[in-house]
């Protein structure tokens, strides 16, 4: 199958909107590959934090992004032969990822890696700019959102479930700061892509959201 015919489903949305879970399950149901683009920004952030790279040095950060030695093995994420699946989920890494993602050259350095995930029989791509920038011709674009309160609650339960202590007020403040930065940055801001289906999951279970996305996909797959 030529690359341009490989179906792409994009699922974009703010932090803790549940898009990771939904995108993953949709990919599993369809037997598609899964691109967690946020993980690439997190890997770059983790590398920078560990090396003590100046977080304002766009050039140095772009170099790190360009030379990331990473691989995705089943559910595991490997960076330079180390399993960093849990390490990249730390709040500090997420916040740093959001900061360095404002640099155009960092974003540019990660484009090739992301396009490489488009493999047969298809890919579900999860992020902020999947439908607007990376895969503008995706067959289905979804913008998943939820209220700040619902998202903070989900993030809180996720952290506590992993045995990581968390304070709700801090989480709320962090979420709002990240939303603000991701939405208002000059390049590839978080906005629904043209033609995207917007799905508010505040009062939905992950399974209901998955079902809705699969229904939309079945509908676009049919001849008009
Ligand atoms: O989805 P996530 O929380 O793992 O992403 C971490 C940060 O990476 C997010 O706050 C902004 C950035 N990001 C981005 O700018 N573009 C993407 N496609 C994915 C993530």
């Amino acid at each position: 199958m030529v690359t341009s015919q490989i179906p792409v489903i994009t699922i974009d949305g703010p932090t803790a909107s549940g898009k990771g879970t939904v995108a993953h399950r949709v990919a599993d149901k369809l037997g598609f590959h899964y691109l967690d683009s946020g993980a690439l920004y997190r890997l770059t952030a983790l590398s920078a934090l560990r090396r003590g790279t100046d977080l304002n040095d766009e050039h140095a950060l772009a170099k790190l992004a360009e030379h990331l030695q990473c691989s995705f093995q089943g559910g595991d994420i490997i960076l330079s032969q180390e399993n960093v699946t849990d390490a990249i989920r730390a709040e500090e890494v997420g916040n740093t990822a959001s900061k360095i993602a404002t640099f155009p050259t960092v974003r540019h350095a990660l484009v090739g890696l992301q396009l490489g995930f488009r493999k047969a029989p298809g890919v579900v791509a999860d992020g902020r700019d999947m439908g607007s920038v990376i895969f503008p011709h995706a067959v289905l674009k979804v913008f998943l959102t939820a209220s700040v309160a619902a998202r903070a609650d989900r993030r809180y339960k996720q952290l506590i479930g992993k045995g990581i202590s968390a304070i709700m007020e801090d989480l709320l403040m962090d979420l709002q700061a990240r939303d603000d930065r991701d939405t208002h940055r000059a390049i590839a801001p978080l906005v629904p892509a043209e033609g995207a289906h917007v799905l508010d999951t505040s009062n939905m279970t992950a399974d209901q959201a998955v079902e809705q996305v699969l229904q939309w996909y079945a509908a676009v797959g049919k001849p008009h």
Side-chain angles (χ1 to χ4, degrees):
M1 199 189 282
V2 288
T3 308
S4 61
Q5 288 174 347
I6 297 172
V8 180
I9 299 175
T10 59
I11 303 190
D12 290 304
T15 191
S17 56
K19 65 191 158 49
T21 309
V22 172
H24 219 128
R25 287 193 202 170
V26 169
D28 272 355
K29 292 252 181 191
L30 296 171
F32 280 13
H33 299 280
Y34 168 57
L35 163 60
D36 174 1
S37 62
L40 301 178
Y41 290 92
R42 286 172 182 267
L43 285 165
T44 309
L46 182 67
S47 283
L49 289 169
R50 287 191 173 169
R51 288 165 187 240
T53 307
D54 178 354
L55 298 178
N56 294 308
D57 186 343
E58 176 169 0
H59 180 69
L61 294 166
K63 270 208 145 159
L64 275 185
E66 206 176 312
H67 299 290
L68 272 185
Q69 297 288 324
C70 64
S71 64
F72 292 75
Q73 301 176 3
D76 286 335
I77 301 177
I78 313 296
L79 177 66
S80 306
Q81 291 167 29
E82 181 192 344
N83 190 328
V84 293
T85 316
D86 291 333
I88 62 163
R89 297 297 154 201
E91 286 302 290
E92 186 195 10
V93 178
N95 287 325
T96 305
S98 164
K99 282 180 197 147
I100 66 172
T102 60
F103 291 127
T105 52
V106 171
R107 304 196 70 80
H108 185 73
L110 294 173
V111 170
L113 257 175
Q114 296 174 78
L115 294 178
F117 278 77
R118 187 171 189 181
K119 287 184 284 199
V123 63
V124 180
D126 149 4
R128 304 290 188 291
D129 61 343
M130 297 296 97
S132 54
V133 176
I134 304 294
F135 299 111
H137 303 297
V139 63
L140 174 67
K141 299 180 186 182
V142 178
F143 190 84
L144 217 69
T145 186
S147 66
V148 174
R151 291 188 285 127
D153 190 54
R154 283 176 197 167
R155 177 57 53 86
Y156 182 81
K157 286 179 182 147
Q158 225 175 36
L159 289 172
I160 299 295
K162 284 187 196 160
I164 302 169
S165 68
I167 300 167
M168 186 54 113
E169 287 90 77
D170 291 352
L171 282 178
L172 266 171
M173 267 174 23
D174 274 358
L175 274 186
Q176 275 160 338
R178 263 168 79 175
D179 279 359
D180 197 54
R181 202 165 34 231
D182 293 351
T183 313
H184 294 110
R185 67 183 175 216
I187 180 169
L190 172 68
V191 283
E194 214 181 306
H197 293 269
V198 178
L199 187 61
D200 186 331
T201 65
S202 304
N203 299 308
M204 276 178 130
T205 63
D207 280 340
Q208 287 170 327
V210 169
E211 207 37 55
Q212 178 61 78
V213 175
L214 290 172
Q215 275 180 26
W216 281 329
Y217 184 62
V220 290
K222 282 185 196 135
H224 297 288

